[in-house]
Amino acid sequence: MSSSQHHHSPASAPFVGRILLDIPAQRPTLNFGQIARALAAVIGTSEPRFAVGVFGGWGSGKSTLMDEIERLVEGQEGAITVRFNAWRFERESHLIIPLLDTIRFHLSEWASNSAEDPEQKEQVRSIARRIGRVVKALVRSTSFEFGLPGMSLSVEPTRAIEELTSTSADAAEAAQSLYFAAFQELSAAFAEVRNANLLRIVVFVDDLDRCLPQQALAMLESMKLFFDMPGFVFVVGVDERVIESAVRTKFANTPEAGHEVDKQIERDYLKKMFQVPYTLPPMAAGQLDQLLAWLGDNGDLRPEQRADLDLRVRNYLEFVAVDGEINPREIKRFINAYTLSRMIRPDLEPDIMLALQTIDFRGDWDEFYEGVILAEPETFGRVLEDYRQGDDAAFEDLWPEIGVIPRELSEYLRSRPAAALAAPFELPRYVSFLETTRSTDPSIIEAMRNLGRLRRQLRTAGGDDIRPGNPAARLLATQIKDAIARLRYYSESKSRQLQQPLHQLNDLAELLTLLADSC
């Protein structure tokens, strides 16, 4: 079947669709309900003095799972839940301060709205007050900026210690360390949890891996001081790779540092911190239909958008998976990008937009997209047709710098969904439009297009132009060097994809100069 047979005319009616929000799901799928019930049962039946680690990569569903666990724990008798979003407070110099303040707030709010009797209300308020004293002392001991840039307020830690130990007149009894005093006060506060007829306070810490790695690590190291407090359970969602990267950086310069030592430290760090670890399994490509059905049922999509999702978009989504693993958040992003494109440009062919967008969304195909499609969209379609007809070296012959086509990219380029890219149409306008929805630096776009124009100029050069001793060879060499000078800035500061072709072009310019000077 020829590629032209896959070309469809764009729909004449405007496309109106809804965006899929990137928020935790209220009715989770992919077995999350069963996982949440198991972890909630562990929290509800175990001695409350441990930490649960929910591990998973970006967009794997950690927040959705934690929301479901929280909903189940809230129904347990004698449990108070606290939700802390670490990313929201990333600019704080010490994340432990807003964490403790969030716990204080939730306890105070629970005492006001949910306490069963006046005595319990006062006991919970007493816990909140003790935590508030610690927060106040930590804030007073911390230097921070306020008002105009450059202005700062610094308070002596000794004054904060005095505030926490004001009831003790004996120097032998009074704490001399701020953090020891804070730990004592928190221990006393948490010891009152059982007296207030509370079985457990469950603290959910989310979006920790959105913080900078060193901030996330500092937060965990501060939190682990309180992981062993009676009456408390911490449930922390984090990407293990973020913490491992921070641990690797922290211990990189230690005397005993070495590859094996670093790996062992990275592996052991989270194991020692979390007594109950759970790693979200990757979503397999075979679960794609289940995810799409759930999105259709819960995304409040119009019938026409749901049909388009099932009959058209579905064909491309399996190629967005890397090594057969699908990221739910990435699937939402893909659908949203396509929806926006259809609404902005209803005149463009949907299958062509989807086919291009699929390549763009694969981060491991960036070099191919930028170096071939973005640089020379006019040529790409013709070469793709040859490749689909069995010419395995079609791309390598024209663009040797891209090397061998990766297996998954090769399978996609020869698949039915990619056929639209080989059809006779004006691909440059589709590429130009796609770039308006990408986060690519506009200067990189211009650089790649300049590179494409230079390549085409070199392909058309020949005959008398490159004969030894012909001044035309020197002129062409000069033009190449001028173009290289303009492009080198992008190569050095912004785009790795330009480095190899620029080296090759520079070698060609030197060769042309030698030819021009030959007799």
Side-chain angles (χ1 to χ4, degrees):
M1 182 179 291
S2 68
S3 60
S4 61
Q5 288 179 275
H6 294 287
H7 185 74
H8 308 285
S9 58
S12 56
F15 183 86
V16 179
R18 293 182 181 274
I19 295 298
L20 299 172
L21 299 181
D22 186 22
I23 58 177
Q26 295 181 351
R27 295 183 295 274
T29 185
L30 303 177
N31 204 35
F32 274 22
Q34 182 176 342
I35 298 168
R37 285 191 294 273
L39 290 174
V42 169
I43 293 170
T45 58
S46 306
E47 177 68 22
R49 198 171 181 170
F50 62 94
V52 178
V54 177
F55 305 131
W58 174 88
S60 60
K62 296 188 299 295
S63 297
T64 294
L65 178 58
M66 290 173 67
D67 272 4
E68 185 66 6
I69 297 171
E70 182 178 5
R71 186 186 68 81
L72 295 172
V73 170
E74 284 175 345
Q76 297 175 356
E77 183 179 356
I80 295 179
T81 61
V82 177
R83 191 62 174 256
F84 178 73
N85 187 303
W87 190 36
R88 186 175 299 168
F89 300 98
E90 184 184 17
R91 291 185 177 273
E92 293 276 357
S93 55
H94 302 287
L95 280 172
I96 193 65
I97 295 176
L99 172 63
L100 290 173
D101 205 28
T102 300
I103 295 174
R104 175 206 58 77
F105 170 79
H106 279 272
L107 290 176
S108 177
E109 189 177 58
W110 189 91
S112 299
N113 301 326
S114 304
E116 296 180 355
D117 55 62
E119 183 178 356
Q120 185 184 46
K121 180 191 295 284
E122 181 53 36
Q123 287 173 324
V124 175
R125 282 189 178 278
S126 174
I127 300 173
R129 278 193 294 269
R130 283 181 175 270
I131 297 174
R133 289 184 65 197
V134 174
V135 172
K136 185 177 180 180
L138 292 175
V139 169
R140 293 189 65 182
S141 70
T142 304
S143 296
F144 60 92
E145 292 189 356
F146 73 103
L148 299 175
M151 296 183 64
S152 65
L153 174 65
S154 180
V155 180
E156 289 294 329
T158 53
R159 292 183 59 190
I161 296 175
E162 291 171 2
E163 182 172 321
L164 286 175
T165 60
S166 58
T167 59
S168 176
D170 189 342
E173 298 179 358
Q176 303 301 305
S177 161
L178 170 62
Y179 289 100
F180 181 76
F183 188 82
Q184 277 191 319
E185 186 70 10
L186 289 172
S187 296
F190 297 159
E192 296 181 14
V193 170
R194 287 293 176 85
N195 296 333
N197 292 322
L198 295 176
L199 298 179
R200 60 189 53 81
I201 297 173
V202 187
V203 183
F204 293 84
V205 181
D206 196 11
D207 283 341
L208 189 59
D209 46 17
R210 288 194 179 190
C211 301
L212 294 173
Q214 291 304 320
Q215 267 289 68
L217 182 61
M219 177 67 179
L220 279 178
E221 292 184 337
S222 298
M223 285 166 50
K224 70 182 180 182
L225 296 174
F226 312 112
F227 279 179
D228 195 38
M229 290 288 186
F232 274 74
V233 177
F234 283 82
V235 182
V236 183
V238 67
D239 185 342
E240 291 176 280
R241 294 170 298 180
V242 173
I243 303 303
E244 289 173 354
S245 173
V247 171
R248 189 182 312 121
T249 301
K250 179 176 180 178
F251 293 100
N253 297 320
T254 57
E256 65 275 13
H259 179 72
E260 292 304 320
V261 173
D262 288 348
K263 285 294 182 184
Q264 188 63 41
I265 292 174
E266 292 167 21
R267 287 193 295 267
D268 291 347
Y269 188 87
L270 291 176
K271 290 180 182 178
K272 293 177 180 178
M273 184 168 293
F274 296 101
Q275 293 82 2
V276 183
Y278 181 79
T279 301
L280 282 166
M283 177 181 167
Q287 296 175 285
L288 178 59
D289 288 328
Q290 184 183 352
L291 175 63
L292 292 182
W294 182 89
L295 290 175
D297 293 338
N298 296 273
D300 196 21
L301 306 182
R302 298 188 177 194
E304 57 270 25
Q305 186 180 8
R306 177 89 182 257
D308 189 61
L309 178 62
D310 293 337
L311 300 177
R312 188 196 303 274
V313 182
R314 167 65 179 82
N315 298 326
Y316 298 87
L317 288 175
E318 62 183 276
F319 294 101
V320 179
V322 179
D323 294 328
E325 296 181 2
I326 292 175
N327 185 298
R329 181 177 292 169
E330 194 73 355
I331 294 297
K332 289 182 183 179
R333 285 186 61 245
F334 185 94
I335 295 171
N336 288 341
Y338 165 71
T339 299
L340 182 62
S341 297
R342 286 289 307 273
M343 294 175 69
I344 294 174
R345 292 294 302 271
D347 59 305
L348 295 181
E349 167 58 50
D351 283 303
I352 297 172
M353 288 194 294
L354 283 166
L356 277 177
Q357 184 178 298
T358 300
I359 300 176
D360 173 45
F361 259 66
R362 286 290 298 261
D364 52 336
W365 297 349
D366 276 350
E367 185 172 352
F368 182 86
Y369 178 83
E370 292 189 0
V372 175
I373 300 177
L374 182 57
E376 298 188 62
E378 305 90 345
T379 311
F380 170 72
R382 173 179 57 80
V383 180
L384 176 61
E385 181 65 26
D386 293 340
Y387 189 74
R388 291 176 62 85
Q389 295 299 324
D391 184 355
D392 293 337
F395 289 106
E396 294 177 62
D397 288 346
L398 204 59
W399 299 288
E401 63 273 10
I402 68 171
V404 178
I405 303 295
R407 177 185 58 81
E408 289 188 348
L409 176 57
S410 174
E411 291 174 356
Y412 173 68
L413 293 175
R414 284 174 165 156
S415 70
R416 181 180 294 272
L421 295 176
F425 63 91
E426 297 180 11
L427 185 59
R429 68 190 181 108
Y430 284 84
V431 174
S432 295
F433 173 70
L434 181 61
E435 290 308 307
T436 65
T437 62
R438 299 176 84 225
S439 58
T440 307
D441 187 331
S443 61
I444 294 295
I445 300 174
E446 185 59 29
M448 299 309 298
R449 288 174 177 167
N450 284 336
L451 176 61
R453 284 192 287 269
L454 183 56
R455 285 171 173 166
R456 290 192 297 274
Q457 181 181 1
L458 290 173
R459 290 191 200 113
T460 58
D464 292 340
D465 289 343
I466 56 173
R467 285 185 305 170
N470 194 317
R474 177 176 291 279
L475 177 61
L476 183 57
T478 302
Q479 292 173 339
I480 294 175
K481 288 187 175 182
D482 287 343
I484 290 173
R486 292 194 299 271
L487 294 173
R488 194 174 298 280
Y489 163 75
Y490 304 109
S491 171
E492 293 174 351
S493 63
K494 299 177 182 178
S495 179
R496 293 182 293 104
Q497 279 79 7
L498 285 169
Q499 293 175 5
Q500 185 175 1
L502 283 181
H503 286 310
Q504 294 172 337
L505 289 170
N506 188 70
D507 292 343
L508 177 58
E510 295 296 335
L511 177 60
L512 288 170
T513 302
L514 290 174
L515 285 172
D517 293 339
S518 300
C519 297

